[in-house]
Amino acid sequence: SSREAPIVIIGTGLSGYTLAREIRKHDKDTPVLMITADDGHSYSKPMLSTGFTKDKTADELAQSDAAAMTEQLGIELRTLTHVTGIDPDAHEVLIGDERLPYSRLVLAWGADVIRLNLAGDGLDHVYSINDLMDYRTFRKAVDGAQKIAIMGAGLIGCEFANDLRNGGYEVEVVAPCETAMPGLLPPVAGDAVINGLREEGVSFHLGAAVERVDAAGDGVRLHLDNGQTLEADRVISAVGLRPRTGMAQEAGLDVGRGIRVNRLLETSHPDIYALGDCAEVDGHVLLYVLPLMSCARALAKTLTGQPTEVAYGVMPVMVKTPCCPTAVYPPPADSDGEWHVEQNGNSVKALFRAPDEQLLGFAVTGDYAIEKQALAKEVPPIHG
Ligand code: FAD
């Protein structure tokens, strides 16, 4: 019976929808069933951190609704439906007591936001923004607000800081690190972004963590572990994402930081594949759009009879902080080499070179950001 069963894709984010679109380029007939916990709107997630700058409501960011996507892609789609488990031996997906057969199963269910374990009675005013529904809720919550505190100075925290500032809010960022995006940028480039944001009027409390969030009037009072307090109307938590691996692990799939797949996007179990924010592809966990697009193109071919390995090229990450435009291609972890830095104010060109001078990674900010394309041609791709 599993021969007539559809290809089932769990998740309608950029991974799920891009995959479905790619499958339809090769094959119009194979039944495809998509299942999503959200409302199935198609949208570009990177737009969520430019929404105040561009003054876009959630409805304006939504590209097509579930009905339009069903039609466009020639698929079946179940929205607002939480998959609760996988039975790999039976080739079935579980939705509570219901069982749905699959011929091939694709996990494209994304990453969870990390939530800090905070004390206090003001936690209702703390928001995470990781999908369009979150964004809708947050827009409503800040209507009439003036001051937003952001926990976290990673890529998403910095982008929201710039975006909310452009939207006219007062912004204070609290983060335990000493500079911006420590996991992604060398400190000299992180400092440039911090300076750029400070010049826009963003305040930073670095080297400090929020311990408790108490209700205060219509807003909150944040207590930091350095003894400081600060007040804000609303709080964004942007302290990181964790690939969703729980249900895969319960089903016996091999997981590491993400659901482990090889370059064919195959998990450890037959007929189950993964891509996007939930996947660890050949050892790489890359929570960005370009990698998932490469995966979707390769996997669509594999699923339609042409086994194809993904080949990651050079994919610099663009940080959407217009006050200090930034592009980065981090060197592989544990690379031998060192950073060479040129700097002019907030414009930084940091090049990571191996002892033989080979460029292995780079971070460029400000006026140097436009050099990203030229530099990308000099570094080796992830899959050479
Ligand atoms: P998601 O979009 O998270 O989709 C997951 C899907 O799975 C959803 O439909 C969800 O409902 C569904 N799902 C989850 N659990 C279940 C379940 N149990 N049952 C059924 N369905 C389930 N990347 C860039 O490259 N450039 C950028 O500029 C950039 N900016 C960003 C800005 C922000 C604010 C954020 C949050 C991310 C940004 N990213 C950026 C990252 C990029 O957007 C993500 O890597 C990408 O969108 C992930 O897509 P996905 O489809 O894998 O996951």
Side-chain angles (χ1 to χ4, degrees):
S1 75
S2 76
R3 303 194 92 209
E4 292 120 56
I7 295 175
V8 173
I9 302 173
I10 308 175
T12 56
L14 284 168
S15 299
Y17 275 145
T18 307
L19 175 64
R21 201 171 287 123
E22 291 292 324
I23 289 174
R24 284 300 179 240
K25 285 186 188 165
H26 306 289
D27 173 339
K28 303 265 180 270
D29 306 319
T30 303
V32 173
L33 168 65
M34 299 188 72
I35 306 173
T36 178
D38 63 32
D39 61 12
H41 268 108
S42 150
Y43 70 103
S44 173
K45 191 182 283 200
M47 305 287 282
L48 297 183
S49 50
T50 60
F52 288 90
T53 305
K54 298 183 176 156
D55 195 19
K56 297 273 194 206
T57 64
D59 286 339
E60 287 166 336
L61 288 184
Q63 287 154 349
S64 307
D65 65 11
M69 293 308 287
T70 306
E71 175 96 0
Q72 224 183 80
L73 297 170
I75 53 161
E76 258 190 86
L77 174 55
R78 288 187 50 173
T79 57
L80 303 173
T81 301
H82 265 275
V83 171
T84 53
I86 304 164
D87 184 341
D89 294 333
H91 273 56
E92 285 171 342
V93 161
L94 278 58
I95 302 167
D97 292 336
E98 189 184 355
R99 287 174 165 266
L100 293 176
Y102 61 80
S103 58
R104 272 76 53 80
L105 175 64
V106 180
L107 311 178
W109 61 38
D112 271 322
V113 293
I114 295 173
R115 287 175 211 282
L116 298 174
N117 195 4
L118 297 169
D121 62 1
L123 300 175
D124 287 355
H125 293 311
V126 180
Y127 297 83
S128 307
I129 307 165
N130 188 37
D131 61 38
L132 191 61
M133 290 160 86
D134 293 342
Y135 179 78
R136 186 183 307 273
T137 305
F138 182 70
R139 289 282 303 209
K140 218 172 277 168
V142 296
D143 191 23
Q146 282 180 339
K147 187 162 162 187
I148 315 294
I150 299 176
M151 301 191 286
L155 180 138
I156 291 175
C158 289
E159 290 192 353
F160 275 117
N162 203 149
D163 190 43
L164 286 162
R165 198 63 206 120
N166 289 350
Y169 295 92
E170 282 175 60
V171 179
E172 302 214 40
V173 177
V174 184
C177 47
E178 298 297 335
T179 187
M181 296 172 262
L184 195 58
L185 296 179
V188 62
D191 289 347
V193 175
I194 297 270
N195 281 333
L197 287 167
R198 280 198 166 121
E199 286 162 17
E200 287 298 299
V202 176
S203 306
F204 282 91
H205 306 264
L206 297 175
V210 175
E211 278 186 328
R212 79 185 276 129
V213 180
D214 282 329
D218 186 37
V220 292
R221 182 172 299 116
L222 305 177
H223 297 262
L224 314 191
D225 63 1
N226 63 6
Q228 275 188 318
T229 61
L230 60 105
E231 303 207 342
D233 296 316
R234 299 290 179 266
V235 184
I236 293 181
S237 174
V239 298
L241 289 164
R242 193 179 285 130
R244 293 187 174 111
T245 56
M247 243 192 299
Q249 190 161 23
E250 282 164 29
L253 274 58
D254 191 11
V255 309
R257 284 176 302 145
I259 301 165
R260 285 206 173 115
V261 296
N262 59 18
R263 286 177 58 186
L264 286 167
L265 291 321
E266 298 170 326
T267 66
S268 57
H269 280 50
D271 299 323
I272 307 182
Y273 303 80
L275 81 165
D277 278 8
C278 64
E280 179 179 322
V281 181
D282 184 33
H284 300 277
V285 176
L286 298 170
L287 309 187
Y288 305 107
V289 174
L290 290 179
L292 74 81
M293 303 278 243
S294 300
C295 288
R297 282 192 292 269
L299 182 53
K301 288 188 185 156
T302 298
L303 294 175
T304 55
Q306 219 188 309
T308 303
E309 292 194 332
V310 69
Y312 284 159
V314 176
M315 301 176 292
V317 175
M318 261 45 110
V319 185
K320 301 189 295 300
T321 43
C323 70
C324 183
T326 296
V328 55
Y329 184 70
D334 307 323
S335 302
D336 195 12
E338 52 186 79
W339 289 103
H340 301 263
V341 177
E342 265 175 67
Q343 181 169 20
N344 180 9
N346 294 346
S347 297
V348 168
K349 175 154 106 176
L351 305 180
F352 190 92
R353 291 195 184 277
D356 68 358
E357 294 294 301
Q358 166 70 49
L359 186 66
L360 294 180
F362 62 84
V364 282
T365 72
D367 296 339
Y368 288 119
I370 51 163
E371 294 190 25
K372 61 179 184 274
Q373 266 125 349
L375 290 168
K377 295 197 178 111
E378 280 185 53
V379 288
I382 295 176
H383 294 129

